[in-house]
Amino acid sequence: MTHQRSDALDLAMGAVAGAIGVWVMDRVGWSMYRREDPTAFQREHEARSERRDVAHAAVKKAADLTGAPLPTREPSGAGIAVHYALGILPGALYAAARRKYPALTAGHGTLYGFGLFVLMDEITAPALGLASGPAKYPWQAHARGLVSHLVLGIVTETVLGAFRRIR
């Protein structure tokens, strides 16, 4: 297989693995949400940017910038698409990078998941105004986000490992 074709295949497999990782991450996150203290749940919703999750806040920001109509209901297809894109795009990049830098796979994807949690949830989303600063959220939101992203990393790495074995 040519190097170029191999890179393209890595990107495609990473996108699929990232999508599967998001799906599983959501199941774990929602399970934790349902068991969460109602006071913490309320504090988190009050801290959100315009009471929207990050993906739907991004859709609103894009609609405001472009003048496009904002979906009237949440969750919206656009918000779900953004949410999945936040797992698919990094998954594709992770798949391409992990072959060149095997240390990225440390902890069977937990390093990757931890990195996404810190970069996306704790730094980028607040910096872009898609979320409040980390101090505004209760510790339960951070714990759920960390666990969910670790699951995302493990699932993404597991799927990529399965793809590698059948390749």
Side-chain angles (χ1 to χ4, degrees):
M1 183 179 301
T2 68
H3 180 66
Q4 194 172 33
R5 184 170 173 211
S6 180
D7 287 344
L9 187 56
D10 282 344
L11 291 170
M13 290 186 314
V16 171
I20 294 168
V22 169
W23 188 86
V24 175
M25 175 183 86
D26 286 348
R27 297 321 154 282
V28 170
W30 280 107
S31 176
M32 292 175 74
Y33 238 141
R34 286 191 290 276
R35 291 165 176 75
E36 197 168 288
D37 173 28
T39 305
F41 182 83
Q42 184 63 33
R43 278 188 55 217
E44 178 179 349
H45 281 271
E46 290 170 3
R48 287 179 168 184
S49 178
E50 297 186 42
R51 306 238 195 274
R52 290 179 161 83
D53 63 68
V54 169
H56 286 87
V59 169
K60 179 170 185 334
K61 187 166 276 230
D64 290 347
L65 289 171
T66 63
L70 185 65
T72 56
R73 293 184 328 144
E74 288 184 17
S76 68
I80 293 168
V82 168
H83 176 63
Y84 270 84
L86 293 174
I88 290 169
L89 296 174
L93 296 174
Y94 172 68
R98 67 193 270 285
R99 189 162 30 98
K100 294 176 184 152
Y101 307 102
L104 291 175
T105 66
H108 193 74
T110 57
L111 178 63
Y112 167 65
F114 179 76
L116 278 182
F117 167 71
V118 171
L119 184 64
M120 304 283 251
D121 282 19
E122 302 294 306
I123 297 172
T124 304
L128 294 176
L130 303 176
S132 297
K136 298 275 186 187
Y137 291 89
W139 70 266
Q140 293 92 331
H142 298 284
R144 182 178 6 85
L146 174 59
V147 169
S148 296
H149 282 85
L150 293 175
V151 167
L152 169 70
I154 291 167
V155 170
T156 301
E157 180 60 35
T158 300
V159 171
L160 288 169
F163 282 154
R164 186 176 56 245
R165 284 189 291 281
I166 61 173
R167 216 168 137 180

